[in-house]
Amino acid sequence: MSSMLLATTQRDLLLAGRRRVEALLPLGFFIVAAALFPIGVGPEPATLRQIGPGVVWVCALLAAMLSVTQMFASDHQDGSLEQMLLAPQPLVLLVTGKVFAHWLTTGLPLVIAAPLIGLLFDMNGRAIAALTATLLVGTPVLSLLGAVGAALTLGLRSGAALVFLLVLPLTVPTLIFGTGAVGAVDSGLSPAAHFSLLGAVLILTALGAPLATAAALRISLD
C-alpha cells in the first residue's frame, strides 16, 4: 500500500517536472497578485499589516485552485485513469498520492514564498512565522478539497468554473482560522485556538476528502 502511494506521488512529480511552466503558474500568480495589493492600496504600514494576512490567504486559495482541475484531467484524457480504477490497490491510496503530489508542487512553494510576501506587507517576524505556519497547515486542506471538486467536475466543459463554485465555500473556515491566527499574533494574543481549529479542519478533511474523491471519480467515469 505504501509503495502504491509512493509510486503515484513520484509519477505525478515526474509529470509536473516535464511541464515546469504549468507547474510554476500558481506560484507566479500568488506572488504577482499579492505584490499588486501594496501598490494599489498604498505604502501605509498600518494598513498593509492589517490587510496582509487576508490578502495572502486569498491569493494562496486562488493560486491553489488554478492547478487543481488538472489533478485528474490529463489521466482522464489519455485513459490511464480508467486503468488506475481497475487496479487491485484501493483507489483512496491513488487519490492520496495525487493530492500529496499536488501539494508538493503547488502548496509547498506558496508556503516557501510566504515570508517574502509578508515583508511586502510590513509584517513583523512573529506574524510572518505565524502566516507561514498557517499556510503549512492550511494549504493541504485546499488540495484535498480541490481534489473533491476536480473529481466531481471531471470531463465537464466548464469544469474549472464549477470547481471554484464548489470548493471556495468549503474553504471559508480554513481562510478564517488562518487569517485569525496571524491577526492574533499581530495583536499580541495567543494563536493557539486558531491553530487548533485549523488542525482540526485538516484532520477532518484528510479523513473524509480522499474517500469522497474516490467515490466522485467512480461516479464521473460510470
Side-chain angles (χ1 to χ4, degrees), residues 114-209:
L116 174 63
I117 303 301
L119 292 175
L120 292 177
F121 288 89
D122 196 42
M123 298 171 63
N124 57 48
R126 294 182 67 247
I128 291 176
L131 176 64
T132 305
T134 57
L135 287 173
L136 184 62
V137 179
T139 47
V141 176
L142 305 182
S143 295
L144 287 164
L145 293 177
V148 179
L152 288 172
T153 59
L154 186 64
L156 299 181
R157 295 181 60 183
S158 302
L162 290 175
V163 167
F164 273 90
L165 294 177
L166 290 173
V167 175
L168 288 182
L170 300 177
T171 61
V172 171
T174 306
L175 181 66
I176 293 174
F177 300 143
T179 56
V182 184
V185 170
D186 196 41
S187 302
L189 303 175
S190 173
H194 297 281
F195 275 109
S196 298
L197 291 171
L198 192 59
V201 172
L202 174 59
I203 293 173
L204 291 175
T205 307
L207 292 175

Side-chain angles (χ1 to χ4, degrees), residues 26-113:
L27 177 61
F29 173 85
F30 174 68
I31 295 175
V32 172
L36 288 176
F37 277 86
I39 300 174
V41 173
E44 180 61 34
T47 303
L48 293 177
R49 285 193 296 269
Q50 183 178 7
I51 69 172
V55 169
V56 173
W57 257 101
V58 170
C59 291
L61 170 60
L62 296 178
M65 293 301 103
L66 282 178
S67 60
V68 77
T69 54
Q70 299 301 317
M71 193 179 301
F72 306 106
S74 59
D75 292 332
H76 177 59
Q77 291 172 358
D78 61 20
S80 58
L81 185 60
E82 287 83 354
Q83 300 300 318
M84 294 177 185
L85 265 66
L86 296 175
Q89 291 81 5
L91 182 58
V92 174
L93 289 179
L94 183 145
V95 169
T96 304
K98 296 184 76 65
V99 170
F100 185 51
H102 177 268
W103 180 79
L104 289 176
T105 56
T106 302
L108 185 58
L110 303 185
V111 175
I112 296 173

